[in-house]
Amino acid sequence: MATARKRPRSEIIEESQAECPFSVIHPDPHEKEKKEKKTKRRRQESEEHSHPKVLLQASPFSPMGKFKDPNNTMDRYYQVQPYQKWMDMTRYNSFVLNGVKYWSEGFIFVANSSTIERQKNPGETTQPRKKSDDDWVARILEIRASDEHHVYARVYWMYWPDELPPGTQDGKKLIQGRQPYHGANELIASNHMDVINVVSVTAPAAVNQWDETNEDDVQPALYWRQAFDVRSMELSSAELRCKCNRPENPDKRLFGCSNDDCKKWLHDDCLIHEALLKTYQRLGTDKPHKPSPIKEEEGEDTKRPLSPSETGAAQTAEQSIDVKPEEQKEKMDVDGDSTKAEVSVASSETKRRGRPRKSEPIEKATARPYEGLFEAVIHSEGDGPSVLEITDLRENVTGGDKSWKEPLQCLICGQEID
């Protein structure tokens, strides 16, 4: 079974990189049992000596879509190494960094090499960048610290779509990177686990789960709808729309068929593509468009807002740890019992980044015979129905209209969309 590559760690720690002595492995929890059953002696020895335990992390994500395996919960066995050093540290419900409190189960932004570089050169002009060049996003699973200078968080990474690795299974396709249906502010939940030094954290993040079946909410900020299982390299399914049977991009418009027996949602680019194909088939490269009356009807604007349902992410814990950099040796303030404390971290001059990960997107082009000959836009103004305006770009064709309007037609049932 394919597995995702862990974020590589540099052999030499860069000045801007936050040092973290911990790593996460994912052993088979049943492997130890098999070995111990070989001989009674080995079993007795294993009982006498303390062995690292393999723990199960229940997934905090429940995607609306499905995986191939209907029983896949994204729960994952793990072990932090060095095990005893990790377990000897105190576990906390929160930590305070630069006066901001971060809770276990909350979302965070994490600095990376790209964001550090832009911070060092704020006036330097940059090329258009991918979302993955911005701060990474993670969900905190656990917080542990030995003192206020050594505070760490075990996290699940949220992927920007640009970071989906080669060989990712999306339905029946193998993909890489951002897909046409991914929105600009879309993230993908994962069970990619890591441990980070919390001085890499730059800010809290607000991330909502989008329920695609709920058509009434407005999409306010970052959101996720799909989950990525790094063990099988599989994406959970997304709600399919339109004649093309593809998911919707919430940054683009959908038009709903007004036929009560249909009621399908259609992509705006699919409506335009189909209309331009018919125009090209009718007029080709040399036939002019002859004017014809357009039927005007009253109707409601079929553009609909798309947005997520918000899910509560943070726990309501009371104890906290306040983190301090190595160079500051202030005394730790203790809150509650001896296993819960609060410690503070002053920020250094530049943010320290977490561990790097990368993946490159793949662009997919679609052949369109009408390109350069015709173009179209959909107008949704006033109380009337949405109308398709087609423009003839052929300079060598005369004797007809160079621009005209046509009603929108459902790609499923063929009825005009009111």
Side-chain angles (χ1 to χ4, degrees):
M1 182 181 294
T3 58
R5 185 174 59 187
K6 189 177 185 295
R7 283 187 172 141
R9 192 187 312 201
S10 303
E11 292 298 326
I12 301 175
I13 301 296
E14 301 175 15
E15 181 182 351
S16 62
Q17 183 170 341
E19 183 273 335
C20 182
F22 299 101
S23 61
V24 179
I25 62 172
H26 301 278
D28 181 352
H30 305 297
E31 190 65 29
K32 178 183 172 184
E33 296 176 6
K34 293 176 184 177
K35 291 180 179 179
E36 290 179 350
K37 287 179 180 179
K38 286 185 178 180
T39 66
K40 183 178 179 180
R41 180 180 176 184
R42 289 182 182 176
R43 184 165 59 250
Q44 289 173 341
E45 289 177 351
S46 68
E47 292 172 356
E48 292 173 359
H49 299 281
S50 176
H51 286 273
K53 293 181 180 179
V54 178
L55 304 174
L56 177 65
Q57 174 63 56
S59 176
F61 305 113
S62 298
M64 303 295 293
K66 304 299 181 184
F67 291 99
K68 273 186 173 181
D69 180 0
N71 298 317
N72 185 354
T73 61
M74 290 183 63
D75 296 349
R76 199 168 189 200
Y77 288 98
Y78 75 96
Q79 189 180 94
V80 178
Q81 293 187 331
Y83 175 81
Q84 201 56 50
K85 184 176 180 180
W86 175 257
M87 298 303 294
D88 286 344
M89 292 193 297
T90 305
R91 185 170 181 172
Y92 295 90
N93 290 328
S94 63
F95 65 88
V96 177
L97 178 64
N98 299 332
V100 180
K101 181 172 281 192
Y102 299 86
W103 298 92
S104 182
E105 298 301 322
F107 291 94
I108 53 174
F109 287 109
V110 181
N112 59 45
S113 56
S114 297
T115 55
I116 291 295
E117 191 62 33
R118 288 200 301 275
Q119 186 186 41
K120 290 180 178 178
N121 304 285
E124 191 174 300
T125 56
T126 57
Q127 297 294 327
R129 64 179 190 268
K130 304 186 295 292
K131 271 288 187 180
S132 55
D133 292 328
D134 292 336
D135 281 351
W136 293 322
V137 182
R139 182 165 182 168
I140 300 174
L141 302 171
E142 181 182 9
I143 301 165
R144 286 184 181 266
S146 57
D147 55 49
E148 66 268 35
H149 307 288
H150 301 88
V151 184
Y152 306 95
R154 184 168 57 85
V155 301
Y156 265 164
W157 291 111
M158 305 291 290
Y159 278 61
W160 293 110
D162 309 285
E163 299 176 297
L164 289 173
T168 296
Q169 187 165 355
D170 186 8
K172 296 181 179 180
K173 299 185 300 180
L174 294 180
I175 64 166
Q176 175 186 355
R178 180 175 293 274
Q179 300 303 297
Y181 64 83
H182 287 135
N185 292 324
E186 184 160 1
L187 290 161
I188 297 169
S190 84
N191 53 3
H192 181 166
M193 189 184 297
D194 217 340
V195 175
I196 64 170
N197 189 319
V198 300
V199 297
S200 300
V201 177
T202 61
V207 182
N208 302 319
Q209 182 176 6
W210 175 27
D211 179 0
E212 296 176 276
T213 62
N214 187 338
E215 300 164 0
D216 298 324
D217 294 328
V218 177
Q219 203 64 268
L222 297 178
Y223 64 92
W224 69 276
R225 57 175 153 173
Q226 289 178 292
F228 178 56
D229 189 336
V230 298
R231 298 166 299 185
S232 59
M233 300 283 284
E234 183 186 0
L235 276 175
S236 63
S237 62
E239 189 81 11
L240 301 180
R241 307 288 191 184
C242 196
K243 180 181 178 180
C244 66
N245 222 26
R246 294 179 180 177
E248 61 184 285
N249 184 328
D251 299 337
K252 297 183 179 181
R253 293 182 295 178
L254 284 186
F255 291 85
C257 179
S258 49
N259 182 356
D260 290 336
D261 295 329
C262 181
K263 292 292 184 181
K264 297 294 185 182
W265 289 100
L266 310 166
H267 300 117
D268 58 352
D269 52 354
C270 288
L271 289 164
I272 290 174
H273 174 69
E274 191 73 18
L276 290 177
L277 275 181
K278 289 181 179 179
T279 299
Y280 176 78
Q281 291 167 358
R282 179 169 57 90
L283 302 179
T285 59
D286 54 2
K287 294 181 182 178
H289 171 75
K290 299 298 182 179
S292 58
I294 182 170
K295 182 179 179 182
E296 295 185 0
E297 297 181 2
E298 293 185 357
E300 296 181 357
D301 187 351
T302 53
K303 178 182 175 182
R304 71 183 182 96
L306 301 174
S307 239
S309 300
E310 187 170 334
T311 58
Q315 288 181 328
T316 56
E318 297 180 359
Q319 289 78 17
S320 177
I321 184 165
D322 216 348
V323 192
K324 294 185 182 299
E326 188 63 33
E327 59 271 17
Q328 292 191 5
K329 300 295 182 180
E330 297 181 9
K331 189 175 181 181
M332 182 172 13
D333 296 326
V334 178
D335 248 351
D337 58 40
S338 59
T339 61
K340 313 290 185 186
E342 187 170 14
V343 201
S344 204
V345 173
S347 65
S348 47
E349 292 183 1
T350 58
K351 293 290 183 185
R352 296 183 179 181
R353 65 182 176 87
R355 303 172 189 169
R357 74 178 174 194
K358 10 176 180 175
S359 67
E360 298 296 330
I362 291 179
E363 299 291 339
K364 183 179 179 181
T366 303
R368 304 176 189 274
Y370 51 76
E371 282 187 342
L373 304 176
F374 305 95
E375 64 181 16
V377 294
I378 298 176
H379 295 290
S380 302
E381 299 178 358
D383 296 329
S386 298
V387 175
L388 190 74
E389 182 177 9
I390 300 177
T391 302
D392 188 344
L393 305 176
R394 302 168 300 170
E395 296 180 356
N396 62 326
V397 177
T398 58
D401 288 348
K402 302 303 286 184
S403 178
W404 64 94
K405 293 180 179 180
E406 296 181 359
L408 287 180
Q409 291 185 330
C410 176
L411 305 179
I412 309 295
C413 69
Q415 179 171 306
E416 288 187 13
I417 299 175
D418 295 334

